[in-house]
mmCIF file of all heavy atoms in Angstrom:
data_model
loop_
_atom_site.group_PDB
_atom_site.id
_atom_site.type_symbol
_atom_site.label_atom_id
_atom_site.label_comp_id
_atom_site.label_asym_id
_atom_site.label_seq_id
_atom_site.Cartn_x
_atom_site.Cartn_y
_atom_site.Cartn_z
ATOM 1 N N VAL A 147 5.635 -14.358 -17.830
ATOM 2 C CA VAL A 147 5.904 -13.098 -17.122
ATOM 3 C C VAL A 147 4.660 -12.208 -17.071
ATOM 4 O O VAL A 147 4.755 -11.014 -16.772
ATOM 5 C CB VAL A 147 7.079 -12.339 -17.778
ATOM 6 C CG1 VAL A 147 8.385 -13.103 -17.589
ATOM 7 C CG2 VAL A 147 6.825 -12.089 -19.270
ATOM 8 N N GLY A 148 3.479 -12.781 -17.363
ATOM 9 C CA GLY A 148 2.238 -12.042 -17.267
ATOM 10 C C GLY A 148 1.549 -12.297 -15.940
ATOM 11 O O GLY A 148 2.065 -13.002 -15.064
ATOM 12 N N ALA A 149 0.344 -11.736 -15.790
ATOM 13 C CA ALA A 149 -0.370 -11.858 -14.520
ATOM 14 C C ALA A 149 -1.855 -11.597 -14.739
ATOM 15 O O ALA A 149 -2.279 -11.116 -15.790
ATOM 16 C CB ALA A 149 0.198 -10.870 -13.501
ATOM 17 N N LEU A 150 -2.645 -11.900 -13.712
ATOM 18 C CA LEU A 150 -4.069 -11.602 -13.696
ATOM 19 C C LEU A 150 -4.313 -10.511 -12.654
ATOM 20 O O LEU A 150 -3.902 -10.645 -11.489
ATOM 21 C CB LEU A 150 -4.893 -12.839 -13.345
ATOM 22 C CG LEU A 150 -6.406 -12.617 -13.230
ATOM 23 C CD1 LEU A 150 -7.012 -12.244 -14.581
ATOM 24 C CD2 LEU A 150 -7.099 -13.856 -12.656
ATOM 25 N N TYR A 151 -5.003 -9.444 -13.074
ATOM 26 C CA TYR A 151 -5.229 -8.286 -12.217
ATOM 27 C C TYR A 151 -6.712 -8.088 -11.944
ATOM 28 O O TYR A 151 -7.568 -8.503 -12.727
ATOM 29 C CB TYR A 151 -4.675 -7.019 -12.886
ATOM 30 C CG TYR A 151 -3.183 -7.058 -13.092
ATOM 31 C CD1 TYR A 151 -2.649 -7.538 -14.287
ATOM 32 C CD2 TYR A 151 -2.310 -6.650 -12.082
ATOM 33 C CE1 TYR A 151 -1.281 -7.588 -14.475
ATOM 34 C CE2 TYR A 151 -0.939 -6.705 -12.268
ATOM 35 C CZ TYR A 151 -0.425 -7.174 -13.465
ATOM 36 O OH TYR A 151 0.936 -7.240 -13.653
ATOM 37 N N ARG A 152 -6.990 -7.382 -10.842
ATOM 38 C CA ARG A 152 -8.355 -6.990 -10.492
ATOM 39 C C ARG A 152 -8.406 -5.478 -10.344
ATOM 40 O O ARG A 152 -7.659 -4.897 -9.545
ATOM 41 C CB ARG A 152 -8.767 -7.639 -9.171
ATOM 42 C CG ARG A 152 -10.260 -7.529 -8.850
ATOM 43 C CD ARG A 152 -10.535 -7.953 -7.417
ATOM 44 N NE ARG A 152 -10.165 -6.913 -6.464
ATOM 45 C CZ ARG A 152 -9.788 -7.160 -5.204
ATOM 46 N NH1 ARG A 152 -9.688 -8.397 -4.762
ATOM 47 N NH2 ARG A 152 -9.489 -6.145 -4.404
ATOM 48 N N LEU A 153 -9.284 -4.859 -11.136
ATOM 49 C CA LEU A 153 -9.523 -3.425 -11.038
ATOM 50 C C LEU A 153 -10.791 -3.207 -10.230
ATOM 51 O O LEU A 153 -11.871 -3.650 -10.621
ATOM 52 C CB LEU A 153 -9.673 -2.805 -12.433
ATOM 53 C CG LEU A 153 -10.079 -1.330 -12.483
ATOM 54 C CD1 LEU A 153 -8.944 -0.440 -11.981
ATOM 55 C CD2 LEU A 153 -10.469 -0.934 -13.918
ATOM 56 N N ASP A 154 -10.667 -2.508 -9.113
ATOM 57 C CA ASP A 154 -11.817 -2.224 -8.270
ATOM 58 C C ASP A 154 -12.507 -0.935 -8.712
ATOM 59 O O ASP A 154 -11.887 -0.075 -9.350
ATOM 60 C CB ASP A 154 -11.381 -2.098 -6.812
ATOM 61 C CG ASP A 154 -10.899 -3.426 -6.236
ATOM 62 O OD1 ASP A 154 -11.143 -4.475 -6.870
ATOM 63 O OD2 ASP A 154 -10.281 -3.410 -5.155
ATOM 64 N N PRO A 155 -13.780 -0.757 -8.351
ATOM 65 C CA PRO A 155 -14.491 0.461 -8.744
ATOM 66 C C PRO A 155 -13.839 1.754 -8.267
ATOM 67 O O PRO A 155 -14.038 2.803 -8.887
ATOM 68 C CB PRO A 155 -15.872 0.266 -8.122
ATOM 69 C CG PRO A 155 -16.064 -1.217 -8.123
ATOM 70 C CD PRO A 155 -14.706 -1.765 -7.792
ATOM 71 N N ASP A 156 -13.051 1.692 -7.192
ATOM 72 C CA ASP A 156 -12.372 2.904 -6.726
ATOM 73 C C ASP A 156 -11.058 3.167 -7.444
ATOM 74 O O ASP A 156 -10.350 4.127 -7.114
ATOM 75 C CB ASP A 156 -12.129 2.837 -5.220
ATOM 76 C CG ASP A 156 -11.170 1.715 -4.816
ATOM 77 O OD1 ASP A 156 -10.646 0.996 -5.707
ATOM 78 O OD2 ASP A 156 -10.945 1.542 -3.594
ATOM 79 N N GLY A 157 -10.726 2.331 -8.446
ATOM 80 C CA GLY A 157 -9.519 2.523 -9.233
ATOM 81 C C GLY A 157 -8.310 1.752 -8.749
ATOM 82 O O GLY A 157 -7.267 1.757 -9.416
ATOM 83 N N ALA A 158 -8.416 1.077 -7.618
ATOM 84 C CA ALA A 158 -7.292 0.295 -7.108
ATOM 85 C C ALA A 158 -7.086 -0.955 -7.955
ATOM 86 O O ALA A 158 -8.050 -1.594 -8.388
ATOM 87 C CB ALA A 158 -7.546 -0.102 -5.658
ATOM 88 N N VAL A 159 -5.821 -1.312 -8.185
ATOM 89 C CA VAL A 159 -5.462 -2.495 -8.966
ATOM 90 C C VAL A 159 -4.663 -3.440 -8.079
ATOM 91 O O VAL A 159 -3.733 -3.026 -7.378
ATOM 92 C CB VAL A 159 -4.631 -2.127 -10.207
ATOM 93 C CG1 VAL A 159 -4.195 -3.377 -10.956
ATOM 94 C CG2 VAL A 159 -5.432 -1.218 -11.131
ATOM 95 N N SER A 160 -5.016 -4.718 -8.106
ATOM 96 C CA SER A 160 -4.285 -5.729 -7.361
ATOM 97 C C SER A 160 -3.991 -6.922 -8.256
ATOM 98 O O SER A 160 -4.735 -7.201 -9.198
ATOM 99 C CB SER A 160 -5.073 -6.171 -6.119
ATOM 100 O OG SER A 160 -6.395 -6.542 -6.474
ATOM 101 N N CYS A 161 -2.892 -7.617 -7.971
ATOM 102 C CA CYS A 161 -2.465 -8.783 -8.753
ATOM 103 C C CYS A 161 -2.836 -10.052 -7.998
ATOM 104 O O CYS A 161 -2.567 -10.161 -6.792
ATOM 105 C CB CYS A 161 -0.960 -8.720 -8.985
ATOM 106 S SG CYS A 161 -0.305 -10.120 -9.915
ATOM 107 N N HIS A 162 -3.427 -11.031 -8.701
ATOM 108 C CA HIS A 162 -3.921 -12.228 -8.030
ATOM 109 C C HIS A 162 -3.325 -13.535 -8.537
ATOM 110 O O HIS A 162 -3.361 -14.527 -7.822
ATOM 111 C CB HIS A 162 -5.444 -12.259 -8.109
ATOM 112 C CG HIS A 162 -6.065 -11.173 -7.298
ATOM 113 N ND1 HIS A 162 -6.493 -11.349 -6.012
ATOM 114 C CD2 HIS A 162 -6.281 -9.861 -7.586
ATOM 115 C CE1 HIS A 162 -6.970 -10.205 -5.535
ATOM 116 N NE2 HIS A 162 -6.853 -9.290 -6.474
ATOM 117 N N ILE A 163 -2.846 -13.581 -9.769
ATOM 118 C CA ILE A 163 -2.143 -14.760 -10.273
ATOM 119 C C ILE A 163 -0.929 -14.258 -11.046
ATOM 120 O O ILE A 163 -1.046 -13.379 -11.899
ATOM 121 C CB ILE A 163 -3.035 -15.619 -11.194
ATOM 122 C CG1 ILE A 163 -4.263 -16.142 -10.441
ATOM 123 C CG2 ILE A 163 -2.241 -16.790 -11.776
ATOM 124 C CD1 ILE A 163 -5.225 -16.955 -11.311
ATOM 125 N N GLU A 164 0.239 -14.828 -10.769
ATOM 126 C CA GLU A 164 1.464 -14.451 -11.465
ATOM 127 C C GLU A 164 2.001 -15.643 -12.248
ATOM 128 O O GLU A 164 1.462 -16.749 -12.187
ATOM 129 C CB GLU A 164 2.502 -13.939 -10.463
ATOM 130 C CG GLU A 164 2.072 -12.680 -9.727
ATOM 131 C CD GLU A 164 3.142 -12.154 -8.795
ATOM 132 O OE1 GLU A 164 3.263 -12.692 -7.679
ATOM 133 O OE2 GLU A 164 3.864 -11.212 -9.200
ATOM 134 N N GLY A 165 3.064 -15.417 -13.028
ATOM 135 C CA GLY A 165 3.672 -16.483 -13.805
ATOM 136 C C GLY A 165 2.825 -16.939 -14.966
ATOM 137 O O GLY A 165 2.874 -18.100 -15.380
ATOM 138 N N VAL A 166 2.030 -16.014 -15.541
ATOM 139 C CA VAL A 166 1.101 -16.322 -16.620
ATOM 140 C C VAL A 166 1.763 -16.038 -17.964
ATOM 141 O O VAL A 166 2.465 -15.042 -18.124
ATOM 142 C CB VAL A 166 -0.180 -15.474 -16.475
ATOM 143 C CG1 VAL A 166 -1.101 -15.661 -17.669
ATOM 144 C CG2 VAL A 166 -0.894 -15.823 -15.173
ATOM 145 N N THR A 167 1.513 -16.907 -18.944
ATOM 146 C CA THR A 167 2.049 -16.703 -20.292
ATOM 147 C C THR A 167 1.029 -16.016 -21.193
ATOM 148 O O THR A 167 1.336 -15.002 -21.833
ATOM 149 C CB THR A 167 2.486 -18.038 -20.909
ATOM 150 O OG1 THR A 167 3.469 -18.647 -20.050
ATOM 151 C CG2 THR A 167 3.105 -17.831 -22.291
ATOM 152 N N VAL A 168 -0.189 -16.546 -21.263
ATOM 153 C CA VAL A 168 -1.262 -15.940 -22.074
ATOM 154 C C VAL A 168 -2.549 -15.962 -21.250
ATOM 155 O O VAL A 168 -3.309 -16.927 -21.283
ATOM 156 C CB VAL A 168 -1.471 -16.683 -23.414
ATOM 157 C CG1 VAL A 168 -2.573 -16.021 -24.227
ATOM 158 C CG2 VAL A 168 -0.175 -16.728 -24.221
ATOM 159 N N SER A 169 -2.792 -14.901 -20.503
ATOM 160 C CA SER A 169 -4.007 -14.831 -19.697
ATOM 161 C C SER A 169 -5.211 -14.740 -20.624
ATOM 162 O O SER A 169 -5.255 -13.918 -21.538
ATOM 163 C CB SER A 169 -3.964 -13.609 -18.785
ATOM 164 O OG SER A 169 -5.062 -13.624 -17.892
ATOM 165 N N ASN A 170 -6.208 -15.586 -20.369
ATOM 166 C CA ASN A 170 -7.352 -15.635 -21.267
ATOM 167 C C ASN A 170 -8.648 -15.755 -20.480
ATOM 168 O O ASN A 170 -8.880 -14.984 -19.564
ATOM 169 C CB ASN A 170 -7.180 -16.750 -22.307
ATOM 170 C CG ASN A 170 -7.122 -16.205 -23.719
ATOM 171 O OD1 ASN A 170 -7.934 -15.373 -24.101
ATOM 172 N ND2 ASN A 170 -6.180 -16.676 -24.511
ATOM 173 N N GLY A 171 -9.517 -16.718 -20.842
ATOM 174 C CA GLY A 171 -10.876 -16.755 -20.332
ATOM 175 C C GLY A 171 -10.978 -16.762 -18.822
ATOM 176 O O GLY A 171 -10.173 -17.383 -18.121
ATOM 177 N N ILE A 172 -12.011 -16.054 -18.336
ATOM 178 C CA ILE A 172 -12.273 -15.995 -16.895
ATOM 179 C C ILE A 172 -13.772 -15.804 -16.682
ATOM 180 O O ILE A 172 -14.414 -15.004 -17.367
ATOM 181 C CB ILE A 172 -11.458 -14.863 -16.236
ATOM 182 C CG1 ILE A 172 -11.776 -14.749 -14.743
ATOM 183 C CG2 ILE A 172 -11.701 -13.539 -16.936
ATOM 184 C CD1 ILE A 172 -10.871 -13.788 -14.014
ATOM 185 N N ASP A 173 -14.338 -16.591 -15.748
ATOM 186 C CA ASP A 173 -15.728 -16.418 -15.364
ATOM 187 C C ASP A 173 -15.949 -17.186 -14.059
ATOM 188 O O ASP A 173 -15.055 -17.911 -13.597
ATOM 189 C CB ASP A 173 -16.683 -16.900 -16.461
ATOM 190 C CG ASP A 173 -18.043 -16.200 -16.415
ATOM 191 O OD1 ASP A 173 -18.317 -15.470 -15.440
ATOM 192 O OD2 ASP A 173 -18.838 -16.386 -17.351
ATOM 193 N N TRP A 174 -17.158 -17.063 -13.498
ATOM 194 C CA TRP A 174 -17.456 -17.578 -12.180
ATOM 195 C C TRP A 174 -18.665 -18.500 -12.222
ATOM 196 O O TRP A 174 -19.560 -18.340 -13.066
ATOM 197 C CB TRP A 174 -17.732 -16.415 -11.221
ATOM 198 C CG TRP A 174 -16.513 -15.591 -10.960
ATOM 199 C CD1 TRP A 174 -15.635 -15.714 -9.920
ATOM 200 C CD2 TRP A 174 -16.014 -14.519 -11.774
ATOM 201 N NE1 TRP A 174 -14.628 -14.795 -10.034
ATOM 202 C CE2 TRP A 174 -14.826 -14.038 -11.157
ATOM 203 C CE3 TRP A 174 -16.438 -13.913 -12.957
ATOM 204 C CZ2 TRP A 174 -14.073 -12.997 -11.691
ATOM 205 C CZ3 TRP A 174 -15.689 -12.874 -13.499
ATOM 206 C CH2 TRP A 174 -14.521 -12.425 -12.866
ATOM 207 N N SER A 175 -18.713 -19.439 -11.293
ATOM 208 C CA SER A 175 -19.869 -20.322 -11.168
ATOM 209 C C SER A 175 -21.074 -19.504 -10.706
ATOM 210 O O SER A 175 -20.928 -18.448 -10.086
ATOM 211 C CB SER A 175 -19.574 -21.436 -10.164
ATOM 212 O OG SER A 175 -19.258 -20.891 -8.884
ATOM 213 N N PRO A 176 -22.302 -19.977 -10.996
ATOM 214 C CA PRO A 176 -23.494 -19.208 -10.611
ATOM 215 C C PRO A 176 -23.597 -18.922 -9.119
ATOM 216 O O PRO A 176 -24.182 -17.905 -8.729
ATOM 217 C CB PRO A 176 -24.643 -20.094 -11.094
ATOM 218 C CG PRO A 176 -24.066 -20.834 -12.263
ATOM 219 C CD PRO A 176 -22.641 -21.116 -11.867
ATOM 220 N N ASP A 177 -23.025 -19.774 -8.272
ATOM 221 C CA ASP A 177 -23.079 -19.532 -6.828
ATOM 222 C C ASP A 177 -21.905 -18.715 -6.319
ATOM 223 O O ASP A 177 -21.770 -18.487 -5.104
ATOM 224 C CB ASP A 177 -23.175 -20.849 -6.053
ATOM 225 C CG ASP A 177 -21.943 -21.740 -6.235
ATOM 226 O OD1 ASP A 177 -20.965 -21.320 -6.899
ATOM 227 O OD2 ASP A 177 -21.969 -22.880 -5.716
ATOM 228 N N ASP A 178 -21.021 -18.278 -7.229
ATOM 229 C CA ASP A 178 -19.866 -17.431 -6.886
ATOM 230 C C ASP A 178 -18.823 -18.142 -6.023
ATOM 231 O O ASP A 178 -17.934 -17.490 -5.481
ATOM 232 C CB ASP A 178 -20.307 -16.143 -6.172
ATOM 233 C CG ASP A 178 -20.496 -14.982 -7.133
ATOM 234 O OD1 ASP A 178 -19.965 -15.043 -8.253
ATOM 235 O OD2 ASP A 178 -21.182 -14.008 -6.763
ATOM 236 N N GLN A 179 -18.892 -19.444 -5.937
ATOM 237 C CA GLN A 179 -17.924 -20.167 -5.114
ATOM 238 C C GLN A 179 -16.648 -20.514 -5.879
ATOM 239 O O GLN A 179 -15.605 -20.771 -5.270
ATOM 240 C CB GLN A 179 -18.553 -21.450 -4.569
ATOM 241 C CG GLN A 179 -19.736 -21.228 -3.651
ATOM 242 C CD GLN A 179 -19.358 -20.433 -2.423
ATOM 243 O OE1 GLN A 179 -18.514 -20.853 -1.632
ATOM 244 N NE2 GLN A 179 -19.977 -19.269 -2.260
ATOM 245 N N LEU A 180 -16.731 -20.528 -7.217
ATOM 246 C CA LEU A 180 -15.601 -20.950 -8.043
ATOM 247 C C LEU A 180 -15.302 -19.914 -9.112
ATOM 248 O O LEU A 180 -16.206 -19.253 -9.628
ATOM 249 C CB LEU A 180 -15.916 -22.282 -8.734
ATOM 250 C CG LEU A 180 -16.239 -23.472 -7.841
ATOM 251 C CD1 LEU A 180 -16.682 -24.657 -8.688
ATOM 252 C CD2 LEU A 180 -15.033 -23.849 -6.976
ATOM 253 N N MET A 181 -14.034 -19.777 -9.444
ATOM 254 C CA MET A 181 -13.605 -18.983 -10.594
ATOM 255 C C MET A 181 -12.899 -19.915 -11.572
ATOM 256 O O MET A 181 -12.024 -20.699 -11.170
ATOM 257 C CB MET A 181 -12.643 -17.864 -10.187
ATOM 258 C CG MET A 181 -12.254 -16.949 -11.345
ATOM 259 S SD MET A 181 -11.144 -15.600 -10.844
ATOM 260 C CE MET A 181 -9.556 -16.446 -10.948
ATOM 261 N N TYR A 182 -13.294 -19.850 -12.839
ATOM 262 C CA TYR A 182 -12.633 -20.608 -13.894
ATOM 263 C C TYR A 182 -11.672 -19.678 -14.621
ATOM 264 O O TYR A 182 -11.988 -18.505 -14.868
ATOM 265 C CB TYR A 182 -13.671 -21.171 -14.868
ATOM 266 C CG TYR A 182 -14.636 -22.133 -14.221
ATOM 267 C CD1 TYR A 182 -15.870 -21.686 -13.752
ATOM 268 C CD2 TYR A 182 -14.310 -23.470 -14.058
ATOM 269 C CE1 TYR A 182 -16.768 -22.556 -13.145
ATOM 270 C CE2 TYR A 182 -15.202 -24.354 -13.454
ATOM 271 C CZ TYR A 182 -16.430 -23.893 -12.999
ATOM 272 O OH TYR A 182 -17.301 -24.754 -12.394
ATOM 273 N N TYR A 183 -10.507 -20.211 -14.987
ATOM 274 C CA TYR A 183 -9.468 -19.347 -15.543
ATOM 275 C C TYR A 183 -8.601 -20.133 -16.525
ATOM 276 O O TYR A 183 -8.309 -21.315 -16.311
ATOM 277 C CB TYR A 183 -8.586 -18.790 -14.421
ATOM 278 C CG TYR A 183 -7.432 -17.959 -14.895
ATOM 279 C CD1 TYR A 183 -7.637 -16.741 -15.535
ATOM 280 C CD2 TYR A 183 -6.112 -18.394 -14.711
ATOM 281 C CE1 TYR A 183 -6.575 -15.972 -15.975
ATOM 282 C CE2 TYR A 183 -5.041 -17.631 -15.138
ATOM 283 C CZ TYR A 183 -5.277 -16.423 -15.777
ATOM 284 O OH TYR A 183 -4.214 -15.669 -16.225
ATOM 285 N N ILE A 184 -8.193 -19.440 -17.598
ATOM 286 C CA ILE A 184 -7.351 -20.056 -18.626
ATOM 287 C C ILE A 184 -6.060 -19.281 -18.792
ATOM 288 O O ILE A 184 -6.074 -18.066 -19.019
ATOM 289 C CB ILE A 184 -8.087 -20.107 -19.982
ATOM 290 C CG1 ILE A 184 -9.271 -21.069 -19.927
ATOM 291 C CG2 ILE A 184 -7.137 -20.509 -21.117
ATOM 292 C CD1 ILE A 184 -10.161 -21.020 -21.160
ATOM 293 N N ASP A 185 -4.941 -19.967 -18.665
ATOM 294 C CA ASP A 185 -3.660 -19.527 -19.223
ATOM 295 C C ASP A 185 -3.447 -20.439 -20.420
ATOM 296 O O ASP A 185 -3.156 -21.628 -20.271
ATOM 297 C CB ASP A 185 -2.531 -19.670 -18.200
ATOM 298 C CG ASP A 185 -1.157 -19.307 -18.765
ATOM 299 O OD1 ASP A 185 -1.037 -19.065 -19.987
ATOM 300 O OD2 ASP A 185 -0.177 -19.283 -17.988
ATOM 301 N N THR A 186 -3.624 -19.899 -21.629
ATOM 302 C CA THR A 186 -3.671 -20.720 -22.834
ATOM 303 C C THR A 186 -2.443 -21.610 -22.981
ATOM 304 O O THR A 186 -2.535 -22.738 -23.481
ATOM 305 C CB THR A 186 -3.836 -19.817 -24.071
ATOM 306 O OG1 THR A 186 -5.116 -19.169 -23.987
ATOM 307 C CG2 THR A 186 -3.783 -20.614 -25.361
ATOM 308 N N ALA A 187 -1.291 -21.131 -22.543
ATOM 309 C CA ALA A 187 -0.060 -21.907 -22.698
ATOM 310 C C ALA A 187 -0.097 -23.229 -21.938
ATOM 311 O O ALA A 187 0.622 -24.169 -22.291
ATOM 312 C CB ALA A 187 1.136 -21.071 -22.240
ATOM 313 N N THR A 188 -0.934 -23.333 -20.915
ATOM 314 C CA THR A 188 -1.019 -24.576 -20.143
ATOM 315 C C THR A 188 -1.901 -25.622 -20.806
ATOM 316 O O THR A 188 -1.923 -26.773 -20.374
ATOM 317 C CB THR A 188 -1.582 -24.305 -18.741
ATOM 318 O OG1 THR A 188 -2.946 -23.872 -18.859
ATOM 319 C CG2 THR A 188 -0.769 -23.226 -18.025
ATOM 320 N N ARG A 189 -2.690 -25.202 -21.830
ATOM 321 C CA ARG A 189 -3.686 -26.060 -22.489
ATOM 322 C C ARG A 189 -4.724 -26.576 -21.491
ATOM 323 O O ARG A 189 -5.268 -27.668 -21.640
ATOM 324 C CB ARG A 189 -3.020 -27.249 -23.203
ATOM 325 C CG ARG A 189 -2.224 -26.864 -24.431
ATOM 326 C CD ARG A 189 -1.776 -28.088 -25.220
ATOM 327 N NE ARG A 189 -1.100 -27.707 -26.441
ATOM 328 C CZ ARG A 189 -1.701 -27.460 -27.596
ATOM 329 N NH1 ARG A 189 -3.010 -27.567 -27.679
ATOM 330 N NH2 ARG A 189 -0.997 -27.123 -28.662
ATOM 331 N N ARG A 190 -5.041 -25.743 -20.471
ATOM 332 C CA ARG A 190 -5.999 -26.161 -19.449
ATOM 333 C C ARG A 190 -7.009 -25.061 -19.176
ATOM 334 O O ARG A 190 -6.734 -23.871 -19.351
ATOM 335 C CB ARG A 190 -5.290 -26.442 -18.112
ATOM 336 C CG ARG A 190 -4.355 -27.598 -18.042
ATOM 337 C CD ARG A 190 -4.047 -27.941 -16.575
ATOM 338 N NE ARG A 190 -3.736 -26.778 -15.750
ATOM 339 C CZ ARG A 190 -2.500 -26.344 -15.486
ATOM 340 N NH1 ARG A 190 -1.449 -26.984 -15.991
ATOM 341 N NH2 ARG A 190 -2.309 -25.299 -14.706
#
C-alpha cells in the first residue's frame, strides 16, 4: 500500500509507482536513460 513519489522544486508532488511494500534504493544510469528501483519485498 506504499508508493514512489516525486517532489518537484516548485513543491508539487506526483506519484509514479504504486502497490509498493518497502520502497527503497533508487538511482539513475549515467546517461539518464534508466532508473533503477528497489521494492525490498520483491527481493529484486
Side-chain angles (χ1 to χ4, degrees):
V147 293
L150 177 66
Y151 297 92
R152 192 191 77 208
L153 174 69
D154 292 346
D156 65 2
V159 176
S160 52
C161 179
H162 292 265
I163 299 178
E164 297 183 279
V166 174
T167 302
V168 181
S169 187
N170 242 313
I172 177 172
D173 206 351
W174 293 265
S175 59
D177 64 4
D178 266 341
Q179 297 299 299
L180 301 173
M181 184 179 85
Y182 298 95
Y183 176 66
I184 293 172
D185 176 353
T186 295
T188 66
R189 290 189 176 273
R190 293 195 314 265

